[in-house]
Amino acid sequence: MGLGEATHGSHEFFAMKERVFRYLVEERGFTTFALEMSWSAGLRIDEYLQGGPGDPRQIAEVTLAGSPWEREEFVSLIGWMREHNRRHPDHRVHFMGDDLGAPKLGDPVFERVLSSVRETRPEALPRLTELYSRLRPFDDVFSYLRKPVAERRENAARAQEAFDLVAGHQGTDGDDYAWTVQHARNIAQTFAFATVDLADPASLTAAERLRDQAMADNVLWWQRHTGHKMLLSAHNGHVGYLSTHPDIYPRTQGAVLRDRLGRDYTAIGFSFAAGSFLTKDTSLDGDWKPVTVPAARPGMNEHTLDRVRYRDFYLDLRTAPAAARAWLDRARPVYDAGSTFTPNPLPTLALGRAYDVLIHLHRVRAADKLESLPYEPAD
């Protein structure tokens, strides 16, 4: 199941994700919360959930720093998941990052691969160590993208050679080996994405297509490897079947998952009629700042949705009658914000073709900054 967000920084979207996940865990046997964040940061959060040191706020500060999810709402989610595992050791939940290594990969993921190869294939260790020595540390993707494209392409070739070296050994099996291959794959995915030429629109589109494919592949790997029921949390444009920017995102993660999983995947999108959220001035720089938008104007999807007699509601788009379907399948302006927000002109989207289910909220507010106080679990 994919649960989106119309913006990357609204309290109501984040809070509802925790509520939905708690229900799915307690009533439907779900066990993994997957987030549009780096694979390696997800591993760090999951280590904490399984009994590692720290507290939820410390973990959020380390793993979510610089992201729109560095918020109290995700501290609450992480804290609940840890407490659930303490109370239910026979039904443990997990946290997964399905994305590439942004804003950083971090050294631990390289060490995981090297340590495994040191134990299982020591003859391959010198070459693997040499390849990775040219790639690590990878601690700031935004600075890295300012390096010459030719240098970044050479590094991508090294990361791919390292992956081929790890994955190509026949006769090695077992759970540890499968994880090692997946870690090496994510490193290679990250460096392949980071060859993007930001001055070339075609290169940017190719990179985003690679990214959505990689996110879907990572989710599918996790599901196949663990057998878990998963809630995937990401922007509407990644969990749904269409993006408001098809020139940049021609094939979404949700579209890949639908093709691979069929009816076993459900895309749920969010909309809102007014309020505040977090965004940045540019994708590569700056802090997340609150932006407020007025009530949706006539002609927008949200203006019509907000005339329903319920303040907040959900709609199963798959069962909509013909008249409603005709309206839903027509593209209209929508409020949609990722790393940046362009109010004029607003992007357009056909809701009925983008999602299976839509949750509409009357008003949202910006997500809560991390507090500086020591973490205290909720009752």
Side-chain angles (χ1 to χ4, degrees), residues 107-125:
D107 248 21
V109 71
F110 290 99
E111 283 299 327
R112 284 173 182 253
V113 179
L114 290 168
S115 177
S116 175
V117 171
R118 184 178 296 112
E119 294 294 324
T120 59
R121 297 180 56 203
E123 74 282 359
L125 185 62

Side-chain angles (χ1 to χ4, degrees), residues 28 31 45 125 131 136 144 150 162 202 225-226 257 274 276 355:
R28 292 291 184 264
T31 44
I45 294 176
L125 185 62
L131 290 168
R136 55 193 294 203
Y144 182 80
H225 187 74
T226 65
L257 293 174
S276 302
Y355 316 117

Side-chain angles (χ1 to χ4, degrees), residues 273-324:
S276 302
F277 49 89
L278 301 170
T279 188
K280 300 195 297 183
D281 294 330
T282 66
S283 296
L284 299 184
D285 294 298
D287 298 323
W288 293 88
K289 301 181 297 184
V291 171
T292 300
V293 293
R297 63 178 184 267
M300 294 177 61
N301 281 324
E302 295 89 342
H303 180 266
T304 300
L305 293 169
D306 215 46
R307 296 174 67 187
V308 172
R309 62 192 177 99
Y310 301 104
R311 179 181 175 90
D312 303 317
F313 61 92
Y314 74 90
L315 176 64
D316 189 334
L317 306 176
R318 299 164 295 185
T319 60

